[in-house]
Amino acid sequence: MVKTFKSSTHLVFINTPTKFTSSAEVKEGMDRFQSGNEEIVFHQHTYNDSEAEKGIISFCKESGIKWLAVVTGNHDKSPSYLISTTETVLFKGDLGVLSVKV
């Protein structure tokens, strides 16, 4: 979709106190994600907040982003009552959300 519309992509990592990740590790992960997609313009961001969901919503508000795509992992072994980051962003935020399971 990004290639079709020739749009740029903002990669954002929400750094939280409980899952702190160094800047070098974040950059390395983002660089790996971008590898093979050199024709797409990526903007890398690290945003610090107390919770991932609050950070996503705050980053989008500050950046003027109205919709986002969230890549989710495999939750087959997770309890069915566990609320995901995507669901929390949908409930607490005022954003359009595309969730893609990989």
Side-chain angles (χ1 to χ4, degrees):
M1 195 162 61
V2 173
K3 291 178 186 177
T4 302
F5 292 108
K6 297 179 182 166
S7 59
S8 63
T9 301
H10 292 267
L11 299 177
V12 62
F13 183 88
I14 308 300
N15 223 352
T16 63
T18 56
K19 294 188 177 181
F20 179 80
T21 305
S22 73
S23 296
E25 290 173 294
V26 172
K27 179 154 178 41
E28 181 181 324
M30 288 184 179
D31 288 346
R32 265 197 323 270
F33 183 84
Q34 290 176 220
S35 180
N37 293 299
E38 285 73 20
E39 68 277 12
I40 298 173
V41 176
F42 286 98
H43 307 277
Q44 295 182 356
H45 309 275
T46 301
Y47 193 89
N48 300 305
D49 209 315
S50 57
E51 299 173 14
E53 298 85 350
K54 285 173 52 180
I56 292 169
I57 294 167
S58 295
F59 174 80
C60 289
K61 281 182 183 176
E62 289 177 17
S63 302
I65 294 171
K66 304 290 184 204
W67 71 275
L68 66 143
V70 180
V71 179
T72 61
N74 187 350
H75 297 285
D76 290 343
K77 298 189 193 293
S78 297
S80 59
Y81 61 86
L82 191 63
I83 296 177
S84 71
T85 299
T86 304
E87 290 168 321
T88 304
V89 169
L90 283 168
F91 180 73
K92 292 183 176 181
D94 189 24
L95 300 162
V97 178
L98 170 65
S99 178
V100 181
K101 182 178 177 181
V102 292

